[in-house]
Amino acid sequence: MRIASLLPAATEIAAAVGLLDDLVAVTFECDHPAGIRDRVPVVVDTALPAGLSPGEIDAVVRDRSARGLPMYEVDADALGRLRPELILTQDLCRVCALPAGSVADALALIGSDAEVLSIDPHSVDDVLAAIVAVGHRGGAGVAADALVGELRERLAAVERAVAGRPRPRVLVLEWTDPPFLAGHWVPELVRRAGGEPVGGVDAGRSTTVDWADLPAADVVVVAPCGYGLPDALAQAAAVRPLLPAVPVLAMDSASYVVRAGPRLVDGIEALAGALHPDAVAPAPPGRIASP
């Protein structure tokens, strides 16, 4: 099957269930597995200027949203030439990826009748269901079911390891300028890792708040949306003087927190290892660290 993935999480899912060779199109943000953009044509690019600070990105996003301008640009002509049969996209966040409505407009423009599968999880179970959906739609149902079974076993192992232990209050910052409290599946991620999430809303949208109004926490995790660990560490170092009484951690959010794919379980394991180091093995380097 010819699959166009217009969502980094969907690209990761497709590869994980054995559909890598079926991919005919990806986005500029698709970076896992490594080298995917060198193998598969990129048909979606960002409309945001390069090299902006977090505060500048926030300002541009707010301005474009207020004017009804898109955050992403799809090369409809290239997509048409690639003749996808299945297109993987989302409607969860217009800032994070190309929404399904834009994809439908592009398909109408090029006269394509490709099937569109929108991946819009709000919980960890929803993410696992998305893996199953992609696998079954792409003809890799057996592999998808097996992968989800393995991921559930790993989640159960973490649950057993942290059961009955004191649960520190964990504040996850999804953005730092201005500060955003992480929603969607992130509070659940914290809970599964043996912490008590504060500030974020389960299955809700991330929300901004003033620094003075941040909820009390025992640990702050800086996991800026779309950024890897080096950038998270830099932002965490800037945050630490603002919250001198609270330990601050930095986490690779792009891979292990905000991307709704299989590595979300790696993120839960990494956070559990940081919160309960005497019960859960530490994460491999590159996932979570102190600034």
Side-chain angles (χ1 to χ4, degrees):
M1 176 174 283
R2 300 178 64 81
I3 301 174
S5 174
L6 309 185
L7 180 67
T11 299
E12 182 173 334
I13 291 170
V17 300
L19 296 173
L20 183 61
D21 291 338
D22 294 84
L23 291 172
V24 298
V26 294
T27 82
F28 78 104
E29 289 182 307
C30 295
D31 57 4
H32 188 83
I36 184 66
R37 289 171 299 195
D38 297 326
R39 300 178 52 182
V40 181
V42 173
V43 297
V44 175
D45 204 348
T46 181
L48 305 182
L52 300 182
S53 68
E56 290 168 336
I57 291 173
D58 181 74
V60 171
V61 167
R62 290 177 186 273
D63 176 68
R64 293 186 70 87
S65 295
R67 291 190 288 152
L69 298 176
M71 307 298 168
Y72 294 85
E73 298 172 345
V74 58
D75 187 337
D77 290 338
L79 187 62
R81 290 193 297 271
L82 293 167
R83 298 176 288 106
E85 300 168 90
L86 174 64
I87 297 179
L88 306 176
T89 184
Q90 61 91 46
D91 271 322
L92 186 68
C93 178
R94 301 183 73 87
V95 177
C96 297
L98 191 74
S102 299
V103 175
D105 292 343
L107 293 180
L109 180 66
I110 62 179
S112 172
D113 60 355
E115 178 185 3
V116 177
L117 175 59
S118 185
I119 299 171
D120 303 306
H122 293 277
S123 68
V124 173
D125 279 340
D126 288 348
V127 173
L128 300 180
I131 295 172
V132 171
V134 171
H136 281 261
R137 294 286 186 92
V142 173
D145 292 343
L147 174 59
V148 168
E150 294 169 5
L151 294 174
R152 289 195 181 280
E153 289 178 2
R154 289 168 57 190
L155 289 170
V158 173
E159 182 179 4
R160 290 191 297 270
V162 302
R165 302 180 63 82
R167 303 177 72 86
R169 298 169 298 172
V170 180
L171 172 65
V172 179
L173 292 178
E174 190 176 275
W175 203 252
T176 59
D177 188 12
F180 268 79
L181 306 179
H184 301 301
W185 53 82
V186 178
E188 181 186 353
L189 182 153
V190 170
R191 199 173 290 112
R192 285 178 177 268
E196 183 60 38
V198 295
V201 178
D202 282 279
R205 292 189 176 279
S206 300
T207 56
T208 187
V209 67
D210 292 333
W211 285 105
D213 296 327
L214 289 177
D218 301 307
V219 180
V220 173
V221 178
V222 177
C225 185
Y227 286 92
L229 186 59
D231 288 311
L233 282 166
Q235 294 186 40
V239 165
R240 192 163 55 179
L242 301 174
L243 303 169
V246 186
V248 176
L249 295 172
M251 195 162 177
D252 178 347
S253 182
S255 300
Y256 305 111
V257 180
V258 300
R259 184 171 296 180
R263 287 188 295 169
L264 200 63
V265 175
D266 295 345
I268 292 170
E269 292 170 337
L271 185 56
L275 298 179
H276 300 283
D278 53 345
V280 179
R287 298 184 183 180
I288 190 169
S290 299

